[in-house]
Amino acid sequence: MNSSRPYLVRALYEWIVDNDCTPHMLVNAEFPAVQVPQGFASDGQIVLNVSPSAVRSLHMDNEAVSFEGRFGGVAHSLYVPVGAILGIYARENGQGMVFELEPSLMEGDEFEDEAVEPDDQGPPEGGGQPPRPTGRPSLKVVK
């Protein structure tokens, strides 16, 4: 199944702009293939103003967000893979969403194919429904 992150980023962007707010994107500046001005990153992260008035040639797809923006009066082309987006929110009120870190492919990492064994036991008792997870879901408020 495809990641929901690019769809959520696009939807939240549109929602923030439709409400006359300024969309800001929190980005992991150290994620592979990220192209942002490193001099403006702090602790490996950078906050980007992606409002229509602040950027040119904004393109969002399932792989990345790209656009042209100015930093210190100098134009830069930015490229942000979707996995590097840590959050998107409205500057005015902080409403938006923060995403969990996504594992990235670093040089030297390898995938191991895990064989999936068929379950010979058949469906579980109780109408074939899988067991429900126990415990409370948890959310963090980030300010």
Side-chain angles (χ1 to χ4, degrees):
M1 186 171 231
N2 292 337
S3 170
S4 61
R5 187 177 300 205
Y7 301 94
L8 293 170
V9 168
R10 289 191 301 266
L12 286 165
Y13 176 86
E14 185 175 328
W15 175 70
I16 292 167
V17 170
D18 284 352
N19 283 285
D20 295 321
C21 290
T22 308
H24 279 202
M25 201 176 292
L26 177 63
V27 173
N28 176 354
E30 298 171 345
F31 194 89
V34 167
Q35 295 175 7
V36 296
Q38 293 299 319
F40 293 89
S42 175
D43 295 327
Q45 297 180 346
I46 188 169
V47 176
L48 303 172
N49 176 349
V50 288
S51 68
S53 62
V55 302
R56 292 180 60 187
S57 305
L58 178 66
H59 179 74
M60 295 182 177
D61 62 26
N62 290 351
E63 278 72 48
V65 174
S66 61
F67 58 93
E68 294 174 16
R70 291 186 146 324
F71 291 82
V74 178
H76 292 270
S77 291
L78 287 84
Y79 181 83
V80 180
V82 171
I85 300 171
L86 302 175
I88 182 168
Y89 60 93
R91 179 188 68 199
E92 291 79 2
N93 58 21
Q95 290 189 5
M97 184 176 285
V98 176
F99 303 106
E100 289 187 19
L101 292 175
E102 248 183 37
S104 64
L105 281 179
M106 303 298 277
E107 288 184 38
D109 287 351
E110 295 181 16
F111 283 111
E112 291 183 20
D113 291 333
E114 295 181 16
V116 177
E117 299 290 327
D119 185 5
D120 294 333
Q121 296 175 0
E125 293 182 29
Q129 296 295 322
R132 298 192 72 170
T134 59
R136 282 181 64 161
S138 63
L139 298 174
K140 277 196 256 184
V141 176
V142 178
K143 292 186 180 190

